[in-house]
Amino acid sequence: MSKPNVYKLHGLNIQSEIPLPASPTNEHPDIIVSAQKLPKSLPGLIDNRKNLQFDGKKILINQPLFGSLLIEKNTAIKHEFYPNLSQAHCITAILGSGIGTLLHLNGHTPLHGLAVSGQQGAVILLADSGTGKSTLATALLLAGQTVFTDDIIALRYDAKGQLNVQPAHKRFKLELAQLSNMHVNIDNLCTTAPGVNKLGWDIPTQLFAQQAQPLKKCLFISTTRVAGQQASIASISQFESFTRLRQHIYRPRLMNVLKQQETFFQLNTTLQNQCCSYTINLPKLTSFESIKEYGVALSEQLGL
Protein backbone atom coordinates (compact mmCIF):
# COMPACT_ATOMS: atom_id res chain seq x y z
CA MET A 1 0.00 0.00 0.00
CA SER A 2 1.01 3.61 -0.59
CA LYS A 3 1.74 6.03 2.21
CA PRO A 4 -1.58 7.41 3.51
CA ASN A 5 -2.58 10.69 1.93
CA VAL A 6 -5.43 13.04 2.79
CA TYR A 7 -7.96 13.99 0.10
CA LYS A 8 -10.79 16.51 -0.03
CA LEU A 9 -14.07 14.83 -1.06
CA HIS A 10 -17.62 16.10 -0.52
CA GLY A 11 -16.34 18.64 2.01
CA LEU A 12 -14.57 15.94 4.06
CA ASN A 13 -10.84 15.36 4.62
CA ILE A 14 -10.36 11.64 3.97
CA GLN A 15 -7.13 9.80 4.69
CA SER A 16 -6.52 6.65 2.67
CA GLU A 17 -3.67 4.24 1.95
CA ILE A 18 -5.32 3.50 -1.37
CA PRO A 19 -4.72 6.51 -3.64
CA LEU A 20 -7.99 8.28 -4.41
CA PRO A 21 -8.70 10.36 -7.55
CA ALA A 22 -9.40 13.53 -5.61
CA SER A 23 -7.77 16.80 -4.63
CA PRO A 24 -5.03 16.37 -1.99
CA THR A 25 -5.10 18.51 1.14
CA ASN A 26 -2.75 19.23 4.04
CA GLU A 27 -5.65 19.50 6.47
CA HIS A 28 -6.13 17.12 9.38
CA PRO A 29 -8.21 14.08 8.33
CA ASP A 30 -11.83 13.78 9.39
CA ILE A 31 -12.19 10.20 8.13
CA ILE A 32 -9.66 7.35 8.07
CA VAL A 33 -10.01 4.71 5.34
CA SER A 34 -8.18 1.51 6.23
CA ALA A 35 -8.06 -2.23 5.67
CA GLN A 36 -9.33 -4.22 8.66
CA LYS A 37 -10.55 -7.66 9.59
CA LEU A 38 -14.28 -7.05 9.82
CA PRO A 39 -16.94 -8.90 11.81
CA LYS A 40 -19.56 -10.98 10.04
CA SER A 41 -22.29 -9.24 12.01
CA LEU A 42 -22.82 -6.35 14.42
CA PRO A 43 -24.15 -6.86 17.96
CA GLY A 44 -27.16 -4.88 19.11
CA LEU A 45 -28.69 -4.56 15.66
CA ILE A 46 -31.37 -1.96 15.09
CA ASP A 47 -31.85 -2.85 11.44
CA ASN A 48 -30.79 -5.95 9.50
CA ARG A 49 -31.55 -6.01 5.78
CA LYS A 50 -30.09 -7.80 2.81
CA ASN A 51 -26.31 -7.18 2.80
CA LEU A 52 -26.67 -4.33 5.34
CA GLN A 53 -26.62 -4.12 9.14
CA PHE A 54 -27.02 -1.04 11.38
CA ASP A 55 -26.45 -0.88 15.13
CA GLY A 56 -27.25 2.79 15.70
CA LYS A 57 -23.72 4.10 15.09
CA LYS A 58 -22.14 1.84 12.47
CA ILE A 59 -23.22 0.29 9.17
CA LEU A 60 -21.80 -3.02 7.95
CA ILE A 61 -22.22 -3.62 4.22
CA ASN A 62 -21.53 -6.93 2.51
CA GLN A 63 -20.98 -6.16 -1.16
CA PRO A 64 -21.13 -9.24 -3.42
CA LEU A 65 -18.84 -7.58 -5.99
CA PHE A 66 -16.25 -6.13 -3.59
CA GLY A 67 -16.28 -7.60 -0.07
CA SER A 68 -17.24 -5.86 3.18
CA LEU A 69 -17.24 -2.27 4.42
CA LEU A 70 -17.78 -0.98 7.96
CA ILE A 71 -18.74 2.69 8.08
CA GLU A 72 -18.42 4.46 11.44
CA LYS A 73 -20.10 7.83 11.87
CA ASN A 74 -17.73 10.81 11.66
CA THR A 75 -14.58 8.70 11.99
CA ALA A 76 -13.83 5.80 9.66
CA ILE A 77 -14.44 3.63 6.62
CA LYS A 78 -12.99 0.18 7.21
CA HIS A 79 -12.83 -2.39 4.45
CA GLU A 80 -12.12 -6.05 3.94
CA PHE A 81 -12.09 -6.47 0.18
CA TYR A 82 -11.67 -9.75 -1.66
CA PRO A 83 -7.94 -10.60 -1.94
CA ASN A 84 -7.98 -10.59 -5.75
CA LEU A 85 -9.91 -7.33 -6.10
CA SER A 86 -8.05 -4.80 -8.25
CA GLN A 87 -7.08 -1.40 -6.86
CA ALA A 88 -9.43 0.29 -9.35
CA HIS A 89 -12.36 -1.76 -8.04
CA CYS A 90 -11.36 -1.03 -4.44
CA ILE A 91 -11.47 2.67 -5.26
CA THR A 92 -14.97 2.31 -6.73
CA ALA A 93 -16.21 0.65 -3.54
CA ILE A 94 -14.70 3.37 -1.33
CA LEU A 95 -16.01 6.25 -3.45
CA GLY A 96 -19.47 4.74 -3.84
CA SER A 97 -20.70 2.47 -1.07
CA GLY A 98 -18.13 3.77 1.44
CA ILE A 99 -18.43 7.53 1.13
CA GLY A 100 -22.05 7.46 -0.05
CA THR A 101 -23.05 5.57 3.10
CA LEU A 102 -20.89 7.82 5.27
CA LEU A 103 -22.69 10.90 3.96
CA HIS A 104 -26.03 9.35 4.92
CA LEU A 105 -24.71 8.33 8.34
CA ASN A 106 -23.41 11.86 8.95
CA GLY A 107 -26.80 13.37 8.10
CA HIS A 108 -25.95 14.66 4.59
CA THR A 109 -28.52 13.09 2.29
CA PRO A 110 -26.62 12.57 -1.02
CA LEU A 111 -28.35 12.80 -4.40
CA HIS A 112 -27.67 10.89 -7.62
CA GLY A 113 -26.84 12.97 -10.67
CA LEU A 114 -24.51 15.37 -12.42
CA ALA A 115 -23.33 18.67 -10.92
CA VAL A 116 -21.80 21.47 -13.00
CA SER A 117 -20.29 24.83 -12.11
CA GLY A 118 -22.31 27.74 -13.54
CA GLN A 119 -21.69 31.47 -13.80
CA GLN A 120 -24.03 32.24 -10.89
CA GLY A 121 -23.58 29.02 -8.93
CA ALA A 122 -23.87 25.26 -9.18
CA VAL A 123 -26.40 23.48 -11.40
CA ILE A 124 -27.48 19.93 -10.59
CA LEU A 125 -29.07 17.57 -13.12
CA LEU A 126 -30.77 14.59 -11.52
CA ALA A 127 -31.40 11.46 -13.55
CA ASP A 128 -32.14 7.78 -13.41
CA SER A 129 -29.77 5.30 -15.04
CA GLY A 130 -30.18 5.19 -18.80
CA THR A 131 -31.38 8.78 -19.22
CA GLY A 132 -28.21 10.06 -20.90
CA LYS A 133 -26.42 11.47 -17.84
CA SER A 134 -23.02 10.07 -18.82
CA THR A 135 -23.39 11.28 -22.40
CA LEU A 136 -24.32 14.73 -21.15
CA ALA A 137 -21.34 14.73 -18.78
CA THR A 138 -19.07 13.82 -21.69
CA ALA A 139 -20.52 16.57 -23.86
CA LEU A 140 -20.16 19.23 -21.17
CA LEU A 141 -16.55 18.22 -20.52
CA LEU A 142 -15.81 18.52 -24.24
CA ALA A 143 -17.39 21.97 -24.14
CA GLY A 144 -14.91 22.94 -21.41
CA GLN A 145 -17.35 23.04 -18.50
CA THR A 146 -16.21 22.56 -14.92
CA VAL A 147 -17.90 19.71 -13.08
CA PHE A 148 -18.27 18.57 -9.47
CA THR A 149 -19.41 14.98 -10.01
CA ASP A 150 -21.27 12.63 -12.33
CA ASP A 151 -22.57 10.34 -9.59
CA ILE A 152 -22.93 11.35 -5.92
CA ILE A 153 -23.99 14.94 -5.21
CA ALA A 154 -23.32 16.15 -1.67
CA LEU A 155 -25.29 19.20 -0.60
CA ARG A 156 -23.99 20.77 2.59
CA TYR A 157 -25.11 23.82 4.54
CA ASP A 158 -22.73 26.74 4.93
CA ALA A 159 -22.58 29.08 7.94
CA LYS A 160 -25.55 31.05 6.57
CA GLY A 161 -27.72 27.96 6.11
CA GLN A 162 -27.33 27.98 2.33
CA LEU A 163 -26.91 24.71 0.41
CA ASN A 164 -23.58 24.35 -1.39
CA VAL A 165 -22.54 21.68 -3.87
CA GLN A 166 -19.24 20.10 -2.82
CA PRO A 167 -16.54 18.85 -5.21
CA ALA A 168 -16.49 15.05 -5.27
CA HIS A 169 -13.75 13.16 -7.13
CA LYS A 170 -12.31 13.18 -10.65
CA ARG A 171 -13.11 9.58 -11.63
CA PHE A 172 -16.03 9.45 -14.04
CA LYS A 173 -17.77 6.26 -15.17
CA LEU A 174 -17.94 6.34 -18.95
CA GLU A 175 -18.52 3.91 -21.78
CA LEU A 176 -15.95 3.15 -24.45
CA ALA A 177 -17.83 5.17 -27.09
CA GLN A 178 -17.93 8.23 -24.83
CA LEU A 179 -14.21 8.01 -24.13
CA SER A 180 -13.49 7.56 -27.83
CA ASN A 181 -15.34 10.81 -28.54
CA MET A 182 -12.89 12.56 -26.24
CA HIS A 183 -9.89 10.78 -27.78
CA VAL A 184 -8.94 9.31 -24.42
CA ASN A 185 -6.28 6.61 -24.44
CA ILE A 186 -7.99 3.68 -22.74
CA ASP A 187 -4.93 1.39 -22.56
CA ASN A 188 -4.42 2.02 -18.83
CA LEU A 189 -8.07 2.36 -17.83
CA CYS A 190 -9.96 -0.26 -15.84
CA THR A 191 -13.60 -1.14 -15.46
CA THR A 192 -15.32 0.40 -12.45
CA ALA A 193 -16.48 -2.95 -11.02
CA PRO A 194 -16.26 -6.68 -11.84
CA GLY A 195 -18.57 -7.51 -14.73
CA VAL A 196 -19.28 -3.83 -15.51
CA ASN A 197 -18.52 -2.37 -18.96
CA LYS A 198 -18.01 1.26 -17.93
CA LEU A 199 -14.44 2.46 -17.49
CA GLY A 200 -13.13 4.77 -14.79
CA TRP A 201 -11.46 7.86 -16.25
CA ASP A 202 -9.94 10.68 -14.20
CA ILE A 203 -11.04 13.91 -15.84
CA PRO A 204 -8.45 16.68 -16.36
CA THR A 205 -7.82 18.75 -13.26
CA GLN A 206 -8.72 22.00 -15.04
CA LEU A 207 -12.22 20.65 -15.69
CA PHE A 208 -12.78 19.58 -12.08
CA ALA A 209 -14.41 22.03 -9.66
CA GLN A 210 -12.05 22.87 -6.81
CA GLN A 211 -14.38 24.94 -4.60
CA ALA A 212 -17.92 24.50 -3.30
CA GLN A 213 -20.59 26.64 -4.93
CA PRO A 214 -24.10 27.65 -3.82
CA LEU A 215 -26.86 25.68 -5.50
CA LYS A 216 -28.68 27.87 -8.04
CA LYS A 217 -30.63 25.52 -10.31
CA CYS A 218 -32.04 21.97 -10.14
CA LEU A 219 -33.12 20.09 -13.26
CA PHE A 220 -34.73 16.66 -13.60
CA ILE A 221 -33.71 14.88 -16.82
CA SER A 222 -36.59 13.22 -18.67
CA THR A 223 -36.22 10.01 -20.66
CA THR A 224 -38.03 11.63 -23.61
CA ARG A 225 -35.91 13.28 -26.32
CA VAL A 226 -36.99 16.24 -28.45
CA ALA A 227 -36.37 16.94 -32.12
CA GLY A 228 -34.02 19.69 -33.19
CA GLN A 229 -31.16 21.21 -31.22
CA GLN A 230 -33.07 23.02 -28.50
CA ALA A 231 -33.71 21.29 -25.16
CA SER A 232 -37.17 21.63 -23.71
CA ILE A 233 -36.84 23.18 -20.25
CA ALA A 234 -39.95 23.83 -18.18
CA SER A 235 -40.23 25.13 -14.64
CA ILE A 236 -42.08 22.99 -12.13
CA SER A 237 -43.83 23.83 -8.88
CA GLN A 238 -42.13 23.49 -5.52
CA PHE A 239 -44.54 20.70 -4.66
CA GLU A 240 -43.68 18.67 -7.77
CA SER A 241 -39.96 19.22 -7.27
CA PHE A 242 -40.33 18.30 -3.59
CA THR A 243 -41.91 15.00 -4.61
CA ARG A 244 -39.46 14.20 -7.39
CA LEU A 245 -36.32 14.89 -5.37
CA ARG A 246 -37.11 11.87 -3.21
CA GLN A 247 -36.69 9.66 -6.29
CA HIS A 248 -33.10 10.79 -6.78
CA ILE A 249 -31.55 10.06 -3.40
CA TYR A 250 -28.33 8.08 -3.66
CA ARG A 251 -28.94 4.67 -2.04
CA PRO A 252 -32.46 5.64 -0.91
CA ARG A 253 -32.97 2.66 1.39
CA LEU A 254 -30.34 4.14 3.73
CA MET A 255 -32.67 7.04 4.45
CA ASN A 256 -35.24 4.54 5.72
CA VAL A 257 -32.67 2.53 7.67
CA LEU A 258 -31.39 5.66 9.41
CA LYS A 259 -34.88 7.17 9.77
CA GLN A 260 -33.74 10.42 8.20
CA GLN A 261 -37.03 11.51 6.70
CA GLU A 262 -37.00 14.72 8.76
CA THR A 263 -33.42 15.50 7.69
CA PHE A 264 -34.39 15.04 4.05
CA PHE A 265 -37.51 17.16 4.53
CA GLN A 266 -35.39 20.03 5.87
CA LEU A 267 -32.87 19.71 3.01
CA ASN A 268 -35.66 19.60 0.44
CA THR A 269 -37.38 22.64 1.95
CA THR A 270 -34.13 24.63 1.85
CA LEU A 271 -33.51 23.55 -1.75
CA GLN A 272 -36.97 24.67 -2.88
CA ASN A 273 -36.52 28.08 -1.24
CA GLN A 274 -32.99 28.56 -2.55
CA CYS A 275 -33.30 27.66 -6.22
CA CYS A 276 -35.77 27.07 -9.05
CA SER A 277 -36.48 23.56 -10.33
CA TYR A 278 -37.14 22.41 -13.89
CA THR A 279 -37.68 19.37 -16.05
CA ILE A 280 -35.48 19.04 -19.12
CA ASN A 281 -36.04 17.01 -22.26
CA LEU A 282 -32.67 16.74 -23.96
CA PRO A 283 -32.35 16.95 -27.75
CA LYS A 284 -31.28 13.87 -29.67
CA LEU A 285 -27.53 13.56 -30.04
CA THR A 286 -28.02 12.77 -33.74
CA SER A 287 -29.25 16.36 -34.23
CA PHE A 288 -25.66 17.56 -33.81
CA GLU A 289 -22.55 17.05 -35.92
CA SER A 290 -20.48 16.08 -32.87
CA ILE A 291 -20.85 15.45 -29.17
CA LYS A 292 -18.79 18.58 -28.53
CA GLU A 293 -21.32 20.65 -30.49
CA TYR A 294 -24.02 19.03 -28.37
CA GLY A 295 -22.16 20.07 -25.22
CA VAL A 296 -21.66 23.64 -26.39
CA ALA A 297 -25.36 23.99 -27.21
CA LEU A 298 -26.47 22.51 -23.88
CA SER A 299 -24.01 24.71 -21.97
CA GLU A 300 -25.67 27.79 -23.43
CA GLN A 301 -29.19 26.49 -22.87
CA LEU A 302 -28.43 25.56 -19.25
CA GLY A 303 -26.96 29.01 -18.59
CA LEU A 304 -23.50 27.68 -17.69
Side-chain angles (χ1 to χ4, degrees):
M1 290 290 182
S2 304
K3 179 182 178 181
N5 291 311
V6 181
Y7 305 91
K8 179 74 74 174
L9 288 97
H10 301 298
L12 297 168
N13 300 321
I14 300 180
Q15 179 178 296
S16 173
E17 293 179 339
I18 298 175
L20 301 179
S23 299
T25 178
N26 293 322
E27 297 180 45
H28 185 77
D30 304 308
I31 309 297
I32 307 296
V33 178
S34 61
Q36 302 277 339
K37 182 68 176 177
L38 299 183
K40 297 298 181 184
S41 62
L42 297 176
L45 289 178
I46 292 176
D47 202 302
N48 187 6
R49 308 188 182 200
K50 183 180 179 182
N51 298 327
L52 187 148
Q53 299 175 35
F54 176 54
D55 70 357
K57 296 181 179 179
K58 302 183 293 295
I59 292 179
L60 177 64
I61 300 174
N62 294 307
Q63 277 274 19
L65 292 178
F66 303 110
S68 299
L69 292 135
L70 181 65
I71 295 89
E72 300 179 354
K73 185 176 182 179
N74 295 325
T75 59
I77 298 173
K78 299 175 181 178
H79 57 82
E80 187 177 356
F81 295 132
Y82 299 138
N84 60 346
L85 196 69
S86 71
Q87 180 171 278
H89 293 166
C90 292
I91 290 172
T92 297
I94 293 168
L95 297 178
S97 295
I99 295 177
T101 301
L102 180 75
L103 289 169
H104 273 286
L105 196 58
N106 287 357
H108 304 292
T109 307
L111 302 176
H112 182 227
L114 169 67
V116 190
S117 175
Q119 296 179 11
Q120 304 300 321
V123 176
I124 61 174
L125 298 110
L126 306 178
D128 296 323
S129 298
T131 52
K133 180 169 61 68
S134 294
T135 300
L136 178 58
T138 304
L140 293 176
L141 287 170
L142 282 170
Q145 297 299 332
T146 306
V147 295
F148 294 92
T149 178
D150 76 334
D151 190 21
I152 300 176
I153 299 173
L155 300 177
R156 297 171 67 101
Y157 298 98
D158 63 15
K160 298 180 180 179
Q162 183 173 236
L163 287 173
N164 288 340
V165 177
Q166 299 288 336
H169 55 81
K170 297 188 288 183
R171 183 151 300 178
F172 276 34
K173 304 174 184 177
L174 299 174
E175 296 176 353
L176 179 59
Q178 295 159 350
L179 292 165
S180 297
N181 278 318
M182 289 187 284
H183 306 291
V184 174
N185 184 346
I186 65 169
D187 291 345
N188 296 320
L189 301 186
C190 300
T191 58
T192 56
V196 173
N197 291 326
K198 286 192 173 183
L199 299 174
W201 174 57
D202 296 352
I203 67 172
T205 299
Q206 67 270 23
L207 297 179
F208 178 63
Q210 301 293 323
Q211 301 293 330
Q213 272 193 316
L215 176 61
K216 291 300 181 182
K217 189 181 294 184
C218 173
L219 298 103
F220 298 91
I221 300 177
S222 171
T223 56
T224 306
R225 295 292 179 268
V226 295
Q229 297 187 345
Q230 185 73 31
S232 173
I233 302 175
S235 62
I236 57 177
S237 67
Q238 286 189 347
F239 177 77
E240 182 179 352
S241 177
F242 200 100
T243 303
R244 295 187 64 175
L245 197 73
R246 175 68 175 80
Q247 303 168 11
H248 296 285
I249 296 172
Y250 182 82
R251 305 287 169 86
R253 70 170 179 159
L254 285 170
M255 192 177 77
N256 296 325
V257 169
L258 299 170
K259 295 180 171 53
Q260 290 183 330
Q261 286 79 4
E262 184 176 344
T263 300
F264 175 68
F265 180 85
Q266 292 173 346
L267 178 141
N268 204 338
T269 300
T270 304
L271 184 147
Q272 306 310 325
N273 292 329
Q274 182 173 321
C275 72
C276 295
S277 296
Y278 307 83
T279 58
I280 178 169
N281 296 80
L282 297 169
K284 296 178 180 178
L285 186 57
T286 53
S287 300
F288 300 86
E289 292 186 3
S290 68
I291 191 170
K292 181 177 180 178
E293 182 183 315
Y294 174 65
V296 170
L298 264 295
S299 297
E300 181 178 346
Q301 293 167 35
L302 292 169
L304 301 178

